[in-house]
Amino acid sequence: MNLEEHFLPKDISHASKEYMCAIDLAERTVNAMCNAKYDDAEMLARDLLKSVGVLNEMSSHKYNQDKFYATVQDLANRNINVQAIQRQYK
């Protein structure tokens, strides 16, 4: 996975660690299920969901920032003074 495509530069290191953690938890969950260790599988699955949630939140930050910058660029392309709009709504 191209982390730069999905996460902000400041989040890359954390996202990389969280991603690897999630992959490990997924594998461990499957192994626990295969060995009928359902209590362990349930605990691991909860931790996996937490890791996925963290990744989703960080990815959402990148998506929102990219959308914001695209909107600002669109306004600039239309020769709209973004700073004037910003001053008006402070």
Side-chain angles (χ1 to χ4, degrees):
M1 174 169 60
N2 182 353
L3 296 175
E4 290 80 14
E5 204 173 297
H6 301 281
F7 303 102
L8 294 171
K10 70 179 185 79
D11 292 333
I12 296 289
S13 177
H14 184 203
S16 177
K17 291 174 187 169
E18 201 68 50
Y19 178 79
M20 295 309 295
C21 180
I23 295 297
D24 180 61
L25 286 165
E27 291 172 353
R28 291 173 57 197
T29 301
V30 169
N31 288 335
M33 289 291 298
C34 289
N35 293 310
K37 295 181 178 180
Y38 301 116
D39 287 340
D40 290 347
E42 184 177 8
M43 180 187 65
L44 290 163
R46 281 192 202 122
D47 289 344
L48 173 58
L49 285 173
K50 288 178 190 175
S51 285
V52 171
V54 169
L55 289 166
N56 188 41
E57 186 175 330
M58 285 190 286
S59 181
S60 292
H61 291 159
K62 170 83 161 81
Y63 173 80
N64 290 336
Q65 187 178 66
D66 288 351
K67 197 155 173 87
F68 171 76
Y69 287 140
T71 300
V72 169
Q73 187 60 49
D74 181 52
L75 292 172
N77 290 343
R78 295 188 209 179
N79 295 320
I80 296 172
N81 186 339
V82 179
Q83 292 176 341
I85 293 171
Q86 186 179 13
R87 281 192 298 269
Q88 184 177 1
Y89 289 98
K90 277 190 174 182

